[in-house]
Amino acid sequence: MNKCNSTVVQFIRYVIVGGGAAVIQWGLLVLLKELFGTNANLANAVGFVGGLVFNYLISTRWVFDSSSVKNKGVELSAFALIGIVGLGINQGLIWLFDKALSGHELFGGLIPQDKYYLVGQVLATAIAFFWNFFARKYLIYNNNEEEQH
């Protein structure tokens, strides 16, 4: 696949890839939580793994040009560690909305209290997206030359 070193192009591509990863993560989260009654944080962790694998496979083929890490195992580990920080952000916000804020009437009653975890997931998705892109871009795929494409 054609890759580009331009941060703007990479960011746009990462939005697409991150969107796919988010669909996988959210799908597994909601499936496990709503259909199987799984704890929201556990369901989110399972979804995270699915989204991470998708994100890594597509990002390394389409989004980022070259890794500053030549060993693919080390590259995957670094990619995953950055994602784990994003997961920590995500888990913290899920917990906050699902546990700490449950029992409180928020959002003018528009959102049922048992769905607050989804509000946390929306916020976490946005924050983790930016963390993941820029950390991966500058810590793993840190080519200094900007090419125009």
Side-chain angles (χ1 to χ4, degrees):
M1 292 182 164
N2 183 23
K3 296 182 223 176
C4 182
N5 204 25
S6 165
T7 298
V8 172
V9 171
Q10 288 176 337
F11 185 82
I12 291 167
R13 289 178 178 183
Y14 198 80
V15 167
I16 295 165
V17 174
V23 166
I24 291 168
Q25 183 172 358
W26 276 66
L28 289 170
L29 166 65
V30 172
L31 176 77
L32 293 172
K33 169 87 168 133
E34 299 298 327
L35 291 181
F36 298 104
T38 305
N39 172 281
N41 283 105
L42 178 59
N44 186 53
V46 171
F48 165 80
V49 171
L52 177 73
V53 169
F54 174 84
N55 196 324
Y56 177 75
L57 292 173
I58 305 302
S59 288
T60 57
R61 286 175 175 76
W62 188 51
V63 177
F64 298 113
D65 256 339
S66 62
S67 175
S68 60
V69 180
K70 298 307 172 203
N71 180 306
K72 285 294 184 188
V74 173
E75 178 189 59
L76 174 59
S77 296
F79 196 94
L81 284 172
I82 289 167
I84 289 169
V85 172
L87 176 62
I89 294 165
N90 198 294
Q91 292 288 58
L93 286 169
I94 291 255
W95 175 86
L96 176 67
F97 281 86
D98 188 48
K99 301 293 184 221
L101 296 177
S102 66
H104 295 85
E105 188 64 37
L106 302 175
F107 313 111
L110 293 174
I111 300 172
Q113 291 180 18
D114 67 334
K115 303 296 185 243
Y116 283 2
Y117 75 96
L118 292 171
V119 175
Q121 181 64 16
V122 168
L123 292 172
T125 297
I127 294 167
F129 170 82
F130 285 100
W131 159 254
N132 288 334
F133 174 77
F134 287 107
R136 287 171 177 152
K137 164 79 177 156
Y138 292 106
L139 297 176
I140 302 172
Y141 306 100
N142 59 359
N143 270 338
N144 291 327
E145 293 180 34
E146 291 287 320
E147 298 175 10
Q148 300 298 318
H149 284 83

